[in-house]
Amino acid sequence: MYGYAGTILRINLSTGAIEKQPLDETMAEQYIGGRGFVAKLLFDELPRGIDPYDEKNLFIAATGPLSGHLVPASGKTHFGAKSPATGGYADSNMGGHFGPALKYAGYDVLVLTGRAPAPSYLFIEDGRVEIRPADAYWGQGALIAEKNMKTELGEDFQIITIGPAGEKRVRYACLSHDFGRQAGRSGVGAVLGSKQIKAIAVKGTGSLPVFDLKKAFEAGKEAYKKVAAKPGFTEWTPEGTAGITNWVNEVGVFPTRNFKTSFSDHYEEINGKAILKKLKITDKGCYCCPTPCGKYGHTKTKLGSAYVEGPEYETIALFGGNCELKTIEEVAYANYLCDELGIDTISSGAVISWTIECFEKGILSEKEIGRPVKFSDLETVDYLLEKIVAREGIGDLLAEGVKKASEKVGQGSDVFAIHVKGLEWTGYECRNAPSMMLAYMTADIGAHHSRAWVLGHDMAGAWTNVHDLVSGGGTVERQPQAQIKAESARYVIDSQHTRPLFDALGICRLQLMELGFEVENYVELFYFITGKKRQLGFSAGAVFHRTHPIRSQRGLFYPQGENGAAAGLVLRGQGLGCQWASHQRHPGSPGARRCGRCTEGRRRTGRLIF
Amino acid sequence: MMPTVIHENCSGCGTCKLVCAMENFSAVQPARALLRIEGRFPAPGDYQIHFCDQCGECADNCPVEAIVMESGVYRVDQALCTGCMICVEVCPKGVMVEQPGSEFPAKCILCGACAKICPRSAIVMPEAVTA
Ligand code: SF4
Ligand code: SF4
Ligand code: SF4
């Protein structure tokens, strides 16, 4: 099968059984790869009703047909499981070099079931697959463990690790790779930890079959030229995702003080320019990426100094905005702590800001927390992260995420527990962005912009790539209240159906989203590599789709804070409700293909249609 | 003739390696690439490009003199090479590369493909070579 490696590697960790199964052609045809494979395999094989930490949960790593090929940014891998964060469908993607290495080793997909009897790691070198003891690494930080394993196994191994957070089953523990790339969301790191797997190390020296190698080579080289011709290539790349910080702040969408306000006064201290000035050593990209968004650097704070990749925009939003850390060095240090501990910066930033608000409101006491906590305080962040990852004292509660924690704490703390389906919001405060709010509400994995990012529609009334949006934006002093327009749902659905394409192909979407590198380019590359003629563009692919009782939260009925473009604005729930209904009725909506009374854990997978 | 290698520009994407393998071996198989990208993490946190500078160390050490200079580049003559891999051991840059699935090692022939693709201008060939 052209493009693919052709094999699914299945490992039962309880029995040690290793099986190499030929990749099913029909599955490849219908579900393409990556996120499509994750959804298909979970739907078919995940026993219903189990706890996410049950050994019967699956852990899936899936590449796509374009992963590892000469296609701009072909380094994405999708991970899937039943989510410890939401109790529902989970996937989380990661860049770097792991997926291509897995394919060169001969495998498109890795499926783990069962639980290793003792801490272990997986060793994969082409055809050789072993479950090895990981006593030497268990307990180590995710970055340190990766370094130590590279020293033991060799530089050529691509490794994913978990940190102590994954070992302790923090519900938003992440997977870590290449000293700064993470599959951050949905708690996939905790699933791997529950299986007693510390790491997966892969070295692949094989080749991938290509339908028309000559043409794929020429078209691939051409694609790099086309990406380089986009204005964003030279203008967006230097700052990467952090370059959007000013704009998000100016239009009043930057989450600050636990999503209470949407404007930060100190944004110049924590934006992309601050990274370049204060931190950066090198650009760091994923496999075959022409536009490296990673900024690897070094930070110094009063708590210590560290090498760290990032922070990228989301981390800036959650730690610089939501927890109000005042300098890029502090944000980067919080980023480093999370990376080493193996915990998602987004969810942990939201959990910490929620805790601080609980403390301010007298809902959680100094005694319960163990010390006073406050915004703009790196020590607060450091203290709470340590507690969470050790699951000590208050940390045991906070390791459950804001939804479960607020249910336990009560006293109205659920109103400012900002999440969808148990997954904390990412870096967009949506009261002035109704389409984006709708995107969060209808995201299958919970609040995540990976499903749809429609701020361009909310703010500029149009679909446009991020670079054009931001560079044309200028300074907006006060953004008019964004309107819920008739097309809002349509925009959300379009975005929700464009993004899975990249996730299924095993490539990065930023070249399209940020630079405007057109989808059509992939049609040709896909054909030369796989030999399949397809229309790309509207790929329907979503699972686990249900409503979320967002009404109880600050998002809808509480005006925003004092300053910034969206000050005092409140989003009218009724209009949004109509849009939600319209989203669900739309034939392209995954919701339209499920019964009206969908309950948690009930899924329907649509055939992925290109 | 020699390329300029600018380590600070490199983002570790490895596109050069993939293209080298496609150009020289018609294979989507970066393990065969004739240059090496080393990521030095966490410290000092940068990339080093290891590129053949035609120093001739391999040729000097080849016991059967199978590595010969030909219009500015050292090439492995497979008719003479015995596959002893001594050259692989002595190459100071680690870019005499054992080839998966082949009994002969291979080295850079200055084709310029990597420089042409490098999206960060980290390998820059003089025009004469890339033409
Ligand atoms: S744009 Fe960023 S995330 Fe995407 S492939 Fe490049 S380096 Fe990776
Ligand atoms: S293509 Fe350029 S930036 Fe990428 S790894 Fe090679 S030398 Fe570095
Ligand atoms: S010049 Fe050609 S042979 Fe040498 S490393 Fe670059 S692509 Fe490979």
Side-chain angles (χ1 to χ4, degrees), chain A residues 234-369:
Chain A
T234 40
E235 292 161 24
W236 176 86
T237 312
E239 293 178 36
T241 62
I244 201 177
T245 311
N246 286 19
W247 181 82
V248 173
N249 199 48
E250 279 159 10
V251 299
V253 188
F254 192 58
T256 48
R257 301 182 82 84
N258 193 33
F259 295 91
K260 191 171 187 180
T261 57
S262 55
F263 182 86
S264 151
D265 289 316
H266 64 283
Y267 67 98
E268 300 277 13
E269 305 304 317
I270 55 171
N271 62 10
K273 295 210 165 35
I275 293 179
L276 300 189
K277 212 162 106 194
K278 305 271 181 60
L279 306 173
K280 190 190 141 181
I281 299 171
T282 184
D283 288 320
K284 188 158 172 285
C286 305
Y287 190 63
C288 282
C289 177
T291 59
C293 68
K295 310 295 150 197
Y296 198 86
H298 187 259
T299 183
K300 270 196 190 126
T301 69
K302 60 181 178 192
L303 292 190
S305 60
Y307 287 92
V308 61
E309 178 172 338
E312 53 87 54
Y313 169 72
E314 300 299 330
T315 307
I316 290 174
L318 272 299
F319 278 107
N322 231 24
C323 296
E324 271 202 333
L325 294 180
K326 294 285 192 201
T327 65
I328 197 69
E329 290 93 334
E330 291 194 342
V331 175
Y333 195 74
N335 193 156
Y336 155 74
L337 291 173
C338 290
D339 290 0
E340 191 68 286
L341 295 168
I343 194 172
D344 177 29
T345 55
I346 297 173
S347 285
S348 49
V351 166
I352 290 169
S353 65
W354 175 82
T355 312
I356 298 171
E357 186 159 353
C358 282
F359 180 69
E360 282 186 345
K361 291 197 155 79
I363 294 171
L364 288 172
S365 67
E366 183 177 334
K367 190 157 164 266
E368 283 167 302
I369 297 174

Side-chain angles (χ1 to χ4, degrees), chain A residues 43 79 130 216 254 278 307 361 379 382 478 531 566 583:
Chain A
F43 184 71
F79 298 91
E130 294 167 14
F254 192 58
K278 305 271 181 60
Y307 287 92
K361 291 197 155 79
E379 280 168 21
D382 181 43
R478 186 190 165 89
H583 178 279

Side-chain angles (χ1 to χ4, degrees), chain B residues 87-110:
Chain B
C87 55
V88 173
E89 274 162 44
V90 299
C91 174
K93 306 234 164 168
V95 289
M96 179 63 89
V97 185
E98 275 189 69
Q99 296 291 307
S102 161
E103 56 185 294
F104 307 114
K107 68 173 288 301
C108 170
I109 54 156
L110 283 179

Side-chain angles (χ1 to χ4, degrees), chain A residues 205-217:
Chain A
T205 67
S207 67
L208 298 174
V210 176
F211 171 66
D212 187 335
L213 191 100
K214 215 165 156 249
K215 289 210 173 105
F217 194 22

